[in-house]
Amino acid sequence: MSDLPDPRRLEELLLGGELRYTSLDAIQAAGVSEDFARRLWRALGFPHVPDDVVAFTEGDVAALAGVAGLRPTGVVDEEIKLRMARAVGQTMARLAKWQVDILVEAMTDPLEAPDQETLRVVTANAETHLAELEPLITHAWRRQLAAAGARLLAARGAEELQTRAAVGFADLVAFTRTSRDLDERELARLVERFEETASDVVAEHGGRLVKTLGDEVLFSADTARTGAEIGLAVAEAVREDEGIPDVRVGMAYGPVLPLRGDVFGTTVNLASRLTTMARPGTALVDAGLAAELRDDAAYELTRITRRRAHGLGMIQPYVLRRR
């Protein structure tokens, strides 16, 4: 007989409380409107739960009441609450899946269904380490929030509120061909190794890893010099790691639109186009970033032939190297 808890018991274990409320009971206990509760539930990324299913805990009720009870101000209204909830839901969904995948991958082939022993160990780890990991998640969030707040406060004057940043892409060379030569587990490890290398470099230099796209990462930095250092350092770190193919790096400097943790705008598009133009192991930058670095003795800029970039017209790329 299996010593695994049934799905309901596992859910109660991870939620930290007994499943005792239907959705209508939870809404009534929280003292909120049904419309708001259902919109919040969707914003967090959860599917509809039939009204007669007991699926909610005291923790759910407290969370619902807490969000609804946030004092309205000139900034925090109901729509802001829902947008904040959506940010939390999407981030936590990825985090939870990532953490479960790490545990399962450590014990079995990711393409195979986990066996009973794997499920037992994952469950035991959840029970043992959940209380230890929860404070770390809160602390990391506070640290990231503090860093984001510090960047915001560093902007002084109307002109600086128009966000200018260095943005860059690092793209694995010949990834499609490489993926054909590896099995799925080897490919997953290659991507993870590349992302780990790039994220460590970005963090070390004080930039921000905006997102990972499998064979590509997008990063940003507040200054042109920091962006240049990150781009060159990523290429160097990958070159020194025999387990990762070369990368191409493309970077640009100019106005960007930060939105929902991402960055948008012509500067981002330009960096992306430059990445596709770069030779393996090299970094290309746009005229804006080149102008910012022109008087910096640490770098050498070589102007190359102007190129046509789709949607952007003719652009002037520069090869960036250390002196």
Side-chain angles (χ1 to χ4, degrees), residues 14-280:
L14 296 177
L15 288 173
E18 179 188 356
L19 297 175
R20 53 181 301 186
Y21 295 98
T22 66
S23 59
L24 293 177
D25 290 338
I27 290 168
Q28 184 176 10
V32 301
S33 73
E34 185 175 340
D35 177 68
F36 176 78
R38 297 197 185 284
R39 292 180 68 195
L40 178 63
W41 188 249
R42 289 196 300 269
L44 288 170
F46 298 118
H48 172 72
V49 177
D51 293 341
D52 59 346
V53 173
V54 176
F56 300 93
T57 68
E58 291 284 359
D60 291 309
V61 172
L64 180 55
V67 173
L70 288 172
R71 289 182 300 168
T73 67
V75 176
V76 181
D77 58 14
E78 187 168 295
E79 287 304 314
I80 291 295
K81 294 176 187 179
L82 292 172
R83 289 173 65 187
M84 288 286 192
R86 188 168 288 108
V88 170
Q90 291 181 8
T91 303
M92 291 299 105
R94 184 167 186 260
L95 174 61
K97 183 63 168 66
W98 193 347
Q99 290 176 321
V100 169
D101 287 348
I102 288 172
L103 287 173
V104 172
E105 184 186 344
M107 294 176 288
T108 187
D109 189 319
L111 298 182
E112 297 178 0
D115 57 21
Q116 289 290 95
E117 176 60 17
T118 299
L119 291 173
R120 188 193 64 77
V121 173
V122 170
T123 302
N125 271 272
E127 188 167 12
T128 304
H129 299 305
L130 188 64
E132 298 168 356
L133 282 173
E134 191 169 4
L136 174 63
I137 292 170
T138 302
H139 180 71
W141 170 68
R142 284 186 174 273
R143 271 285 175 185
Q144 293 290 358
L145 197 62
R151 286 193 295 268
L152 179 63
L153 291 176
R156 299 181 300 274
E159 289 186 3
E160 291 184 67
L161 293 178
Q162 300 297 315
T163 303
R164 298 179 68 81
V167 294
F169 289 88
D171 178 64
L172 285 173
V173 174
F175 181 73
T176 301
R177 185 171 66 248
T178 301
S179 66
R180 289 198 294 264
D181 298 331
L182 302 175
D183 63 33
E184 284 78 359
R185 186 163 193 159
E186 291 171 330
L187 182 61
R189 183 57 192 140
L190 167 62
V191 170
E192 185 175 27
R193 192 166 173 175
F194 168 55
E195 291 181 353
E196 288 172 353
T197 300
S199 63
D200 285 351
V201 170
V202 173
E204 181 180 353
H205 288 82
R208 188 171 72 85
L209 188 68
V210 179
K211 60 185 174 184
T212 59
L213 305 166
D215 62 335
E216 187 174 61
V217 297
L218 169 61
F219 61 87
S220 70
D222 294 337
T223 68
R225 195 180 203 282
T226 300
E229 276 299 309
I230 291 171
L232 292 175
V234 168
E236 290 161 0
V238 168
R239 192 180 305 123
E240 293 170 1
D241 190 329
E242 295 181 356
I244 309 177
D246 262 344
V247 293
R248 299 183 179 91
V249 177
M251 293 179 284
Y253 181 81
V256 297
L257 173 63
L259 185 64
R260 297 191 298 274
D262 208 335
V263 288
F264 300 90
T266 301
T267 303
V268 181
N269 295 338
L270 182 52
S272 178
R273 302 292 190 276
L274 287 166
T275 306
T276 63
M277 297 177 186
R279 292 180 181 275

Side-chain angles (χ1 to χ4, degrees), residues 223-226 228-229 289-301 320-323:
T223 68
R225 195 180 203 282
T226 300
E229 276 299 309
L289 187 53
E292 294 289 318
L293 298 175
R294 198 173 304 282
D295 297 327
D296 194 321
Y299 305 108
E300 175 185 313
L301 292 156
L320 177 67
R321 300 184 181 92
R322 299 189 192 282
R323 288 192 186 278

